[in-house]
Amino acid sequence: MNHLLSAVLVRELYRIGAMNTGEYSNDSFVGQVHRPPDPAQKERIKQLAQQAEKLEESELARNPNNVDMIYARGVTRAQFAAYTGLIERAWFSSLRNAVGARHDHERVLELSPQNQDAKLVVGTHNYIMGSLPLAVKVAVAMVGLSGDKEKGIRQLSEATHANGETSVDAGVPADAFLRREHRYAEALEIARSITPGIPGTFCYRWKKATCCAR
């Protein structure tokens, strides 16, 4: 169910023009206007997310420490956070879902420390929270949220090089965040490592050339 949700979500993000990673190397993505989303696809994404979480909650009601289900619920929440942020442009709702996803995957790492896939969500959230302006950091710290940019990049790098299910997925934000930090040599290394995993995509071949030029 989560794989189907991911496919539908990414296809719609691509269609509306929200998959340009250059936007995420700075803060332009926050105010960037894209093509309007398809109402039918919006409804389908919401239905898939609801169906997935219903299945996950059903299993967790029987066993609250089911690592696979906690992980799956975190994936669902992370994808819905991407939907509410990048398609609905509802940033506070997106943050709530992202926090839920992070908590789920932090729990996964507690129960199963060897699970490198869970570092995708945790690392991404760590970097984003660590990148907030000081005043916003203070405000979110009051509700128990915190972040660390360097730790986030490290976690994403570990997930990228673990050869797990999320290795390529983790490499995408790792590459974008390293570019944002002007760490082009490291971004190039990440781009080289994940390009074989997406042979039909020209994007990373172009970005490798861009990083080399810099």
Side-chain angles (χ1 to χ4, degrees):
M1 185 68 72
N2 275 332
H3 288 159
L4 177 58
L5 170 59
S6 178
V8 175
L9 172 62
V10 172
R11 182 178 62 185
E12 186 62 8
L13 288 172
Y14 183 80
R15 191 192 67 79
I16 68 174
M19 294 296 286
N20 177 9
T21 59
E23 293 178 10
Y24 304 98
S25 62
N26 52 54
D27 292 332
S28 65
F29 75 94
V30 174
Q32 186 71 36
V33 178
H34 301 114
R35 288 186 289 276
D38 182 340
Q41 293 305 309
K42 287 174 59 177
E43 187 59 31
R44 190 178 186 203
I45 290 167
K46 287 188 283 188
Q47 288 178 350
L48 288 170
Q50 290 168 357
Q51 290 170 6
E53 192 153 6
K54 183 178 179 180
L55 291 170
E56 293 146 5
E57 293 291 358
S58 176
E59 293 296 322
L60 288 169
R62 286 193 282 270
N63 177 11
N65 290 325
N66 185 326
V67 173
D68 290 337
M69 286 302 106
I70 298 171
Y71 176 82
R73 186 177 63 183
V75 172
T76 303
R77 288 173 168 175
Q79 293 188 112
F80 199 62
Y83 164 76
T84 52
L86 299 177
I87 294 181
E88 294 283 4
R89 316 299 286 183
W91 299 110
F92 286 109
S93 176
S94 178
L95 178 60
R96 284 196 299 272
N97 284 290
V99 169
R102 176 178 176 173
H103 288 166
D104 277 343
H105 283 197
E106 285 178 332
R107 180 60 177 158
V108 168
L109 292 172
E110 289 176 9
L111 296 170
S112 181
Q114 73 277 12
N115 189 320
Q116 299 297 308
D117 288 334
K119 292 181 178 179
L120 164 58
V121 167
V122 177
T124 300
H125 197 267
N126 245 323
Y127 179 86
I128 292 173
M129 299 302 292
S131 302
L132 295 173
L134 180 58
V136 181
K137 280 184 182 179
V138 172
V140 297
M142 294 177 67
V143 293
L145 299 178
S146 63
D148 182 324
K149 289 200 299 184
E150 193 57 41
K151 184 177 181 180
I153 289 175
R154 184 173 68 252
Q155 289 171 323
L156 286 168
S157 180
E158 290 168 353
T160 301
H161 293 103
N163 294 319
E165 183 179 9
T166 66
S167 289
V168 172
D169 295 335
V172 174
D175 183 46
F177 296 158
L178 286 166
R179 289 171 62 200
R180 183 186 177 98
E181 299 297 319
H182 307 294
R183 292 159 60 173
Y184 299 118
E186 294 169 79
L188 177 59
E189 189 274 329
I190 291 287
R192 282 174 172 156
S193 73
I194 66 175
T195 298
I198 42 177
T201 303
F202 70 88
C203 177
Y204 277 91
R205 289 174 176 80
W206 174 82
K207 284 204 287 185
K208 284 195 290 183
T210 303
C211 287
C212 285
R214 285 182 170 134

